């Protein structure tokens, strides 16, 4: 295994190389101990990278766990190829965060009591790493968070506030998760080119000039990786995300119109 590492690591950028090296360590550990080894949570781009590596390692197989179907952040469990996968348990814990009665500032309008930034910031403020935190699901009066099982007790013991709001944290079953119903808006249009600023501008209903500014300000990601070049070329299947504006999937790229413009079909995911 170690003799083959260079062929996996050499083509990768620095950050991806660190991730790949850590996963290869976990592959070796799973084979050495002949037992499951859980990774941290991966976003979809990281997961695609790891799956590409594992594709070339038939000695092992993997299982993905995010807590619910369609979870964006997921952990992998790596096991030897001969291992009985039915014996593997999801290495996740499910926590619900609610305000304590008379426990501090409450919302004054119809907005949710907790924001994603506030909940995540409070959890990370306990000294935990983002890689140990999965998806956050926000309701009007509560927040639910999926975490690595090994940090669950620590959060239960130490998380006492989210922003100015005093909270109580309790474990819940996965069946109690408030999984959001995803709404999709389909957008059919044409663009002069497949430049990121042009395609994202259509997807988010912004001018190309303004979108270029947002891209240069590092607010736009392509396949979960920040892209700062407005001229970056997008392709069918790419997932665009913009800070505070959700995701747009480039579903189809068609042929040219009589005026030389390119037909595109996008799906904007609405919360």
């Amino acid at each position: 295994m170690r003799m083959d590492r260079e062929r996996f690591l050499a083509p990768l950028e620095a950050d991806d190389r660190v991730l790949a090296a850590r996963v290869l360590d976990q592959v070796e550990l799973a084979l050495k101990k002949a037992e499951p080894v859980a990774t941290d949570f991966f976003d979809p781009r990281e997961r695609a990278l790891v799956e590409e590596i594992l594709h070339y390692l038939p000695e092992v197989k993997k299982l993905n766990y995010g807590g619910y179907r369609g979870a964006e952040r997921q952990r992998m469990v790596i096991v030897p190829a001969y291992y009985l996968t039915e014996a593997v348990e999801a290495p996740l814990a499910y926590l619900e965060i609610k305000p304590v009665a008379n426990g501090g500032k409450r919302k004054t309008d119809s907005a949710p009591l907790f924001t994603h930034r506030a909940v995540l910031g409070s959890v990370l403020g306990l000294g935990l790493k983002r890689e140990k935190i999965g998806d956050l699901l926000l309701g009007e009066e509560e927040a639910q968070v999926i975490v690595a099982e090994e940090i669950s007790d620590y959060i239960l013991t130490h998380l006492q506030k989210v922003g100015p709001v005093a909270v109580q944290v309790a474990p819940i079953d996965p069946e109690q998760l408030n999984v959001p119903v995803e709404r999709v808006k389909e957008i059919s249009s044409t663009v002069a080119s497949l430049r990121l600023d042009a395609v994202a501008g259509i997807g988010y209903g912004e001018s190309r000039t303004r979108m270029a500014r947002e891209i240069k300000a590092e607010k736009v990601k392509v396949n979960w990786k920040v892209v700062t070049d407005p001229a970056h070329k997008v392709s069918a299947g790419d997932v665009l995300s913009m800070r505070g504006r959700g995701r747009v999937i480039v579903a189809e790229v068609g042929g040219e119109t009589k005026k030389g413009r390119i037909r595109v079909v996008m799906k904007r995911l609405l919360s």
Side-chain angles (χ1 to χ4, degrees):
M1 177 70 64
R2 291 191 179 278
M3 293 178 61
D4 294 332
R5 280 180 172 244
E6 191 58 27
R7 76 184 178 98
F8 292 114
L9 303 180
L12 302 177
E13 297 179 3
D15 290 345
D16 289 343
R17 195 176 300 125
V18 171
L19 171 62
R22 186 164 66 247
V23 169
L24 290 175
D25 287 340
Q26 292 172 312
V27 168
E28 291 183 341
L29 184 61
L31 292 173
K32 180 179 179 180
K33 292 191 172 184
E35 61 183 33
V37 174
T39 70
D40 288 334
F41 282 95
F42 297 139
D43 64 30
R45 187 191 71 84
E46 293 169 330
R47 197 159 63 246
L49 170 65
V50 173
E51 289 177 346
E52 177 68 17
I53 292 173
L54 296 181
H55 175 74
Y56 294 100
L57 298 173
E59 305 96 327
V60 294
K61 54 188 175 183
K62 57 85 182 174
L63 300 93
N64 291 346
Y65 296 98
Y68 63 96
R69 184 172 181 176
E72 183 169 300
R73 296 178 61 80
Q74 299 180 19
R75 297 186 86 179
M76 286 185 185
V77 174
I78 300 170
V79 297
Y82 56 81
Y83 199 88
L84 188 65
T85 55
E86 288 79 0
V88 179
E89 296 185 2
L92 307 176
Y94 312 88
L95 306 177
E96 186 165 73
I97 304 169
K98 289 187 174 182
V100 176
N102 301 318
K105 182 179 178 181
R106 299 298 297 268
K107 66 179 182 178
T108 57
D109 53 32
S110 60
L113 178 62
F114 299 124
T115 66
H116 188 281
R117 176 178 292 185
V119 175
L120 182 59
S122 297
V123 174
L124 297 182
L126 301 177
L128 299 170
K129 294 182 178 180
R130 181 68 177 98
E131 292 81 4
K132 296 297 182 182
I133 313 298
D135 283 8
L136 275 64
L137 306 175
L138 303 181
E140 290 188 1
E141 289 282 337
E142 77 286 324
Q144 297 173 335
V145 57
I146 302 167
V147 302
E149 62 178 350
E150 60 266 25
I151 67 168
S152 173
D153 287 345
Y154 186 83
I155 296 175
L156 287 167
T157 301
H158 292 90
L159 184 62
Q160 299 178 348
K161 277 193 171 185
V162 171
V165 181
V167 299
Q168 55 189 6
V169 188
I172 58 174
D173 295 326
E175 293 78 18
Q176 294 175 267
L177 291 174
N178 296 323
V179 179
V181 177
E182 203 166 54
R183 296 180 296 130
V184 179
K185 177 182 180 181
E186 186 170 291
I187 303 168
S188 297
S189 188
T190 63
V191 289
S193 73
L194 293 175
R195 286 172 53 109
L196 177 58
D197 55 359
V199 176
I202 295 295
Y204 289 105
E206 299 287 356
S207 70
R208 182 169 166 178
T209 301
R210 179 170 180 177
M211 187 55 61
R213 289 200 301 267
E214 300 292 334
I215 293 167
K216 291 177 180 178
E218 300 184 354
K219 294 183 180 180
V220 177
K221 295 181 180 180
V222 179
N223 299 328
W224 291 271
K225 188 172 184 178
V226 173
V227 174
T228 58
D229 181 8
H232 176 86
K233 185 177 180 180
V234 301
S235 305
D238 283 349
V239 178
L240 316 181
S241 52
M242 184 175 174
R243 191 182 305 169
R245 299 287 297 275
R247 287 176 286 166
V248 170
I249 300 172
V250 184
E252 299 176 23
V253 174
E256 292 187 359
T257 67
K258 293 181 179 179
K259 295 184 178 181
R261 294 177 64 85
I262 303 170
R263 296 184 178 89
V264 293
V265 176
M266 289 173 279
K267 295 183 178 180
R268 184 172 178 182
L269 308 182
L270 306 173
S271 57

